[in-house]
Amino acid sequence: MEFYRGLSIDFSHLLDESDDYDVIIYAGKEPNVRKFHAHTVILRARSPYFRRALSRDWAKKENGSIVFQKPNIAHEVFDVILKYIYSGTADLLAQEGGIILNLLTASDELVLQELIIYAQDHLIQQKSDWLQENVIQVLHTVGYLEACKDLQNFCLGLICQDPYWLFESNNFRSLDESVLIPLLKRDDLLMEEIEIWDHLIEWGIAQNPTLSENISTWSSDDFEVLKSTLEQCIPLIRYFNIDSSDYWDKVRPFSQILPSDLHEVLLQYYCKRGNINLTDTIILPPRKTGIQSNIIKFKHISLIAKWIDRKEGSETNLEKSKYDFNRVLCGSISGFTAANFHKKCDNQGPTLVVIKVKETGEIIGGYNPISWRGLNNNLDGGWMSAAAPSWTVSNRHRPSTFGSFSRSTYEVGPYQSTLNSFIFSLGDGKDLSKAKISRILQDNMSTAVFSSPRHGPCFGQNDLRMNDNFNEAETCTCQCYDYESEITENHNFSVEEYEVFQVVNKDGQETSNQASTSPMQQMHPPRPELTNYPTAWGEFMHF
């Protein structure tokens, strides 16, 4: 039989009520210093640190009691520690994340391994939101603590999922090497390798204020300074993921900082592609891609996530994306027909459409914050959206503005209304400073999104329209009507590849801009001259 609970309670009383203490501990810095009383025998039994410290002759005494000064441990933290030492319990639920973080460093100093494990597990499981907001502070604090590997890996994983908020922020230059090196070692660091190289060079130069930003003025000594600074980081770059043009433009100018054996391997690789045995080389394997796509990289997704939250032009580098982008369609796999698009993408909620233009290589696309709608001929004499409500017969026959015929469900037309859709261009995808976004104009919100069984994804009346068989010549159009501006000068084009991604809020909530639609919001008819059929409503009619 074990009676640990009773033992814990009794020792707690010993801490709170005893008058025979023989140790005084002052915790915290002025003016926030608190005096604690304790017993030598208990401190020595519970903490290897106190076991050593209390056996030394240098311990100061005050009125017969041994006195310790612990200004590096806040009194709130030491209170938790002392209660743990006496009772074997630690209540962290009411503690703020910062207190628990300081508890980790103090527990490491006092060699309280059990408390370290509990505190870091509590942060990961109960304070994950706080960790995301303070991930750099946490890594700088526990980066040197061997006992906190689980917390370090958790925080590094948070960064790797969306690294641009850190790498493109002003905080990156002041990042400790103890944080940077573990990041570079990660296979799941979701950035282009040449971008990692660029930021690494930027970081190295920032550590040496005497180095000029203009390397054409550098001496051999300057390169040696940078080489020494980056000595532990250079071997961690995945050079096989850098194409030859980027290597020539961005890596080659810094060849003096590369180890000679690495430089030789890289020369062979870029000069003799396919004719080099790489089994025993010092070059690391590729990183994970981060997003399943043949067109875009994670940096593009990071930018688009900001656009979804209407943060273009604002300082958002320190904010991490709250969305997942799950690919539901790839044209080269599923085909380029309207039927396949609607089969895969209808009723999926908010979606992102990404297109690679065959004629120019441009990357364009659009964001639809509401579901694409599968259309079913489920009413006699008309069409109706599968996502739409049922309508009474009295609603089904009204005079048409396009002629004397009757049509059903005028209110549930092919257009859907939202203020939160947008179309965009990423150019060739390499320089995001040239990216363009065009939002739906408020006066035209009723024609923001167009769902038709004979068309793929369409935005506005002709702002971005994909007709059937998108990969055939001039089957897609892009002209400004309902959105703010044109996203490309190519008004007629075909598709080399296209992909559709379901946009999911990581918190399980609706995307912040997801718009609801009502039947009356969907009744705006298209102009007949913009359609590819005899009348604007003809493709939905049964005569």
Side-chain angles (χ1 to χ4, degrees), residues 196-258:
I196 298 175
W197 170 266
D198 287 343
H199 288 298
L200 178 60
I201 295 297
E202 172 192 334
W203 180 87
I205 294 174
Q207 310 314 300
N208 300 280
T210 59
L211 294 179
S212 167
E213 296 281 346
N214 183 7
I215 67 169
S216 63
T217 65
W218 284 18
S219 65
S220 296
D221 290 341
D222 291 331
F223 282 101
E224 282 298 319
V225 169
L226 184 62
K227 180 178 181 179
S228 176
T229 301
L230 299 180
E231 183 178 6
Q232 301 299 317
C233 302
I234 289 296
L236 304 178
I237 299 296
R238 316 301 171 93
Y239 296 95
F240 286 174
N241 286 93
I242 299 176
D243 65 38
S244 57
S245 61
D246 283 332
Y247 176 81
W248 180 263
D249 293 336
K250 298 184 176 183
V251 180
R252 182 192 57 83
F254 293 94
S255 58
Q256 293 184 54
I257 73 173
L258 301 178

Side-chain angles (χ1 to χ4, degrees), residues 7 48 85 106 122 152 169 333 337 346 385 403 427 435 443 455 458 517:
L7 181 65
I85 288 176
H122 182 84
Q152 294 170 26
S169 73
I333 297 174
T337 66
D346 280 349
S385 165
D443 290 345
H455 293 74
C458 298
T517 58

Side-chain angles (χ1 to χ4, degrees), residues 83 109 214 229 246 341 524:
K83 288 178 179 177
E109 178 184 346
N214 183 7
T229 301
D246 283 332
F341 165 73
H524 190 109

Side-chain angles (χ1 to χ4, degrees), residues 158-371:
L158 292 177
I159 296 174
C160 289
Q161 292 173 19
D162 187 2
Y164 289 95
W165 68 270
L166 172 62
F167 278 74
E168 294 181 355
S169 73
N170 293 330
N171 291 341
F172 179 75
R173 294 188 173 202
S174 59
L175 201 65
D176 282 353
E177 187 181 49
S178 64
V179 177
L180 180 60
I181 289 177
L183 272 176
L184 297 178
K185 288 180 178 179
R186 301 277 298 211
D187 290 338
D188 56 347
L189 181 57
L190 304 181
M191 291 183 72
E192 292 289 307
E193 203 66 29
I194 191 59
E195 294 176 313
I196 298 175
W197 170 266
D198 287 343
H199 288 298
L200 178 60
I201 295 297
E202 172 192 334
W203 180 87
I205 294 174
Q207 310 314 300
N208 300 280
T210 59
L211 294 179
S212 167
E213 296 281 346
N214 183 7
I215 67 169
S216 63
T217 65
W218 284 18
S219 65
S220 296
D221 290 341
D222 291 331
F223 282 101
E224 282 298 319
V225 169
L226 184 62
K227 180 178 181 179
S228 176
T229 301
L230 299 180
E231 183 178 6
Q232 301 299 317
C233 302
I234 289 296
L236 304 178
I237 299 296
R238 316 301 171 93
Y239 296 95
F240 286 174
N241 286 93
I242 299 176
D243 65 38
S244 57
S245 61
D246 283 332
Y247 176 81
W248 180 263
D249 293 336
K250 298 184 176 183
V251 180
R252 182 192 57 83
F254 293 94
S255 58
Q256 293 184 54
I257 73 173
L258 301 178
S260 57
D261 54 347
L262 174 59
H263 187 219
E264 185 68 19
V265 169
L266 290 176
L267 284 177
Q268 291 183 54
Y269 174 70
Y270 287 108
C271 295
K272 298 173 62 177
R273 282 188 180 272
N275 296 303
I276 176 174
N277 184 3
L278 301 173
T279 56
D280 297 321
T281 69
I282 57 177
I283 297 181
L284 297 173
R287 301 183 201 274
K288 299 175 183 177
T289 59
I291 182 171
Q292 184 184 15
S293 176
N294 299 332
I295 305 175
I296 55 176
K297 306 295 184 182
F298 201 81
K299 65 178 180 180
H300 305 119
I301 285 296
S302 181
L303 176 63
I304 292 168
K306 294 174 185 177
W307 286 345
I308 291 174
D309 285 337
R310 292 185 172 272
K311 292 177 180 176
E312 65 269 21
S314 60
E315 294 296 328
T316 59
N317 285 338
L318 296 180
E319 299 182 20
K320 296 174 282 296
S321 172
K322 61 184 179 184
Y323 303 109
D324 284 326
F325 293 81
N326 304 321
R327 192 172 75 173
V328 294
L329 182 147
C330 174
S332 58
I333 297 174
S334 301
F336 297 87
T337 66
N340 284 334
F341 165 73
H342 286 287
K343 179 180 178 181
K344 294 279 188 178
C345 303
D346 280 349
N347 305 312
Q348 293 282 359
T351 50
L352 173 72
V353 180
V354 181
I355 303 162
K356 187 172 185 180
V357 177
K358 184 183 295 186
E359 290 79 5
T360 63
E362 286 178 281
I363 300 173
I364 62 175
Y367 170 68
N368 177 11
I370 48 184
S371 284

Side-chain angles (χ1 to χ4, degrees), residues 3 8 69 183 273 372 503:
F3 301 96
S8 172
Q69 302 283 346
L183 272 176
R273 282 188 180 272
W372 300 104
V503 182

Side-chain angles (χ1 to χ4, degrees), residues 422-457:
F422 59 82
I423 55 178
F424 61 88
S425 169
L426 301 174
D428 60 6
K430 294 183 178 180
D431 185 358
L432 290 188
S433 67
K434 297 179 180 178
K436 295 186 245 180
I437 178 174
S438 176
R439 295 190 180 276
I440 185 67
L441 294 170
Q442 183 169 358
D443 290 345
N444 301 334
M445 64 178 291
S446 59
T447 54
V449 178
F450 180 80
S451 285
S452 155
R454 296 187 182 180
H455 293 74

